[in-house]
Amino acid sequence: MITFFVCLALLIVGFLVYGKLVEKVFHIDDRQTPAVAHPDGVDYVPMKTWRIFLVQLLNIAGLGPIYGAIAGACWGPVVYLWIVFGTILGGGVHDFLSGMMSERNDGKSISEIVGLYMGKVITFIMRVFSVVLLVMVGVNFAKGPADLLARLTPDALNGTFWLAVVLLYYLAATFLPIDKIVGKLYPIFGICLIIMAIGVGGATLITSGADMPELGAASLSAVHPAGTPKWAMMFVTVACGAVSGFHATQSPMMARCITSEKEGRTVFYGAMVAEGIIALIWAAAGVTFYTHGGSLLDGMAGLSGAISAQGQGGVVYDICTTLLGPVGGVLAMIGVIACPITSGDTAFRSARLTIADWFHIDQSDTKKRAMLAVPLLAVGAIIVVALPWEVLWRYFSWSNQTLAMIVLWTGGVFLYRFGFPPIACLMAALPATFMTAVSVTYFFQAPECLNLSTSIAYPVGIVVAVALLILFCVKTFGSKKSNDLRSAQSK
């Protein structure tokens, strides 16, 4: 219990202290935001800060901080460290930079932002990569909630029925102006999500607080029941609760709605910290729920077995109904269902905007908007029927962290080119280096990728990460051309 509260306090202090430092380093000013400069009534729509915060939280907090945290709890309380420090030093910086870089470039999609600072080749790669990732996210976040809804309704309303309903809703949310569905419903769902997290966290502390594992030598050395190594598998499994590239595709949508740069820390960094708190609660609940007075290893084994038998959705259902009772369980499940749905629809919306930015298609035109929205949802429907959910989720996890790596490197280049000091650039470059090591190592060791031994994957991941950090320092700090460009752009 002590470990949980210390980690919770660190997340809050991280927002107040490190988030403020990131904001100060970025040098926010009073320039007109895109929403104020040219509102279009569709995507560029000024909204209040509290509403944008809740929309951003729902955009980024899909199944990831719940399912990922539960799966991450199979490594024991060591996962708390990744959630806390990943959120403060990596995820918060990533989300803030992706949102504010977009805001300072007229609300452009993240693929266009990366292209501006990383070159034409990476622009094309990012455009394709972003659209594929977003469709995969939308597909993943359609299947999961459909199955959960099927568990709460009569047998006649099965998973297929709810999948069709979810996809039809996605079409409406992708097509309509952002303030018609997203801006009105998301704050309500955001409040439900927060209440659900508080309910599960509070019930865990009250009913099983004594069983809540603490960080110590034994817990740090505890191994996954299935023998899955911590590095780099845990850092990819728990993505949305610590560092997630998907967030970079969502932040530009809110960058088109903020009315002042001063809102950036609350909307982007703050929503990431809120998601980290949600992930921390579910990670703690996951392993504690299955301990029942036994040892930490018993709890980890029980959680791992439950996931294998009924999936993360079944684990969520059991935890909610057991801790909160039937009524509370249903309320909690609504929160869990709302999370993925409200990330899935904005994933397809982001895909539409990415393609529109790519081909310069005016989205204030209803027909042109429909021309992109309908085919995207049709492709998503085909994919969700054709491929198993487990396969989709594994590939999404790796591509998610790879995108985070690219965005963090882009943030480092952005900061340097616009006159920020080297220490500020390293605030992005160092987590980018870490995420490079994670992504490369995972690609070499994961069963769905190259499936090589850790003796190969570990050194390759470290060498590539260090090499890119050296290259970054040479190309930015040591290049005369870069220094000249930096001097010109900082004036």
Side-chain angles (χ1 to χ4, degrees), residues 53-349:
F53 169 82
L54 288 173
V55 171
Q56 174 73 358
L57 176 61
L58 264 292
N59 284 351
I60 65 177
L63 286 171
I66 299 173
Y67 279 20
I70 287 175
C74 289
W75 281 278
V78 68
V79 74
Y80 298 171
L81 298 178
W82 170 229
I83 291 172
V84 171
F85 293 106
T87 294
I88 296 171
L89 302 177
V93 174
H94 170 277
D95 289 15
F96 180 85
L97 287 177
S98 60
M100 296 307 291
M101 285 192 296
S102 175
E103 185 271 333
R104 290 199 172 178
N105 286 278
D106 200 35
K108 285 185 171 62
S109 301
I110 194 61
S111 56
E112 305 303 309
I113 298 298
V114 171
L116 285 174
Y117 303 106
M118 303 294 274
K120 293 182 178 180
V121 174
I122 195 66
T123 302
F124 177 78
I125 294 173
M126 275 297 296
R127 284 168 173 168
V128 175
F129 193 81
S130 296
V131 172
V132 171
L133 174 63
L134 287 165
V135 172
M136 295 291 278
V137 170
V139 166
N140 275 296
F141 290 168
K143 178 65 173 173
D147 289 344
L148 291 174
L149 282 166
R151 296 187 63 148
L152 298 174
T153 55
D155 293 342
L157 304 180
N158 57 21
T160 302
F161 169 82
W162 284 113
L163 179 61
V165 172
V166 170
L167 290 175
L168 286 173
Y169 163 77
Y170 281 180
L171 178 60
T174 301
F175 176 76
L176 293 174
I178 195 166
D179 59 335
K180 299 304 180 185
I181 291 182
V182 174
K184 292 181 178 179
L185 291 182
Y186 276 36
I188 298 173
F189 288 141
I191 293 171
C192 290
L193 170 62
I194 293 170
I195 292 174
M196 177 269 295
I198 293 173
V200 170
T204 301
L205 290 170
I206 293 171
T207 63
S208 307
D211 293 331
M212 190 171 286
E214 305 288 357
L215 271 175
S219 62
L220 289 173
S221 61
V223 297
H224 192 287
T228 308
K230 291 185 181 74
W231 181 264
M233 305 299 279
M234 185 181 73
F235 299 90
V236 173
T237 300
V238 185
C240 293
V243 179
S244 171
F246 169 65
H247 298 183
T249 67
Q250 303 300 288
S251 295
M253 284 195 298
M254 295 301 97
R256 302 180 187 209
C257 297
I258 63 174
T259 57
S260 169
E261 286 200 344
K262 294 179 181 179
E263 299 172 8
R265 181 169 71 100
T266 299
V267 171
F268 302 121
Y269 199 102
M272 180 63 239
V273 171
E275 187 187 34
I277 292 173
I278 293 169
L280 178 67
I281 289 172
W282 278 99
V287 68
T288 302
F289 184 79
Y290 291 93
T291 299
H292 297 308
S295 68
L296 169 63
L297 296 181
D298 291 337
M300 292 164 59
L303 174 60
S304 179
I307 292 175
S308 298
Q310 55 186 338
Q312 283 99 320
V315 171
V316 170
Y317 185 82
D318 286 347
I319 290 175
C320 288
T321 54
T322 301
L323 293 180
L324 301 176
V327 176
V330 171
L331 290 174
M333 289 300 293
I334 290 174
V336 176
I337 291 166
C339 286
I341 288 178
T342 53
S343 287
D345 60 3
T346 50
F348 280 112
R349 189 181 187 93

Side-chain angles (χ1 to χ4, degrees), residues 1 20 48 152 307 357 360-361 371 393 428 489:
M1 189 183 300
K20 189 68 175 179
K48 295 183 181 298
L152 298 174
I307 292 175
D357 286 350
H360 307 289
I361 302 173
M371 180 181 69
W393 184 261
Q489 290 182 318

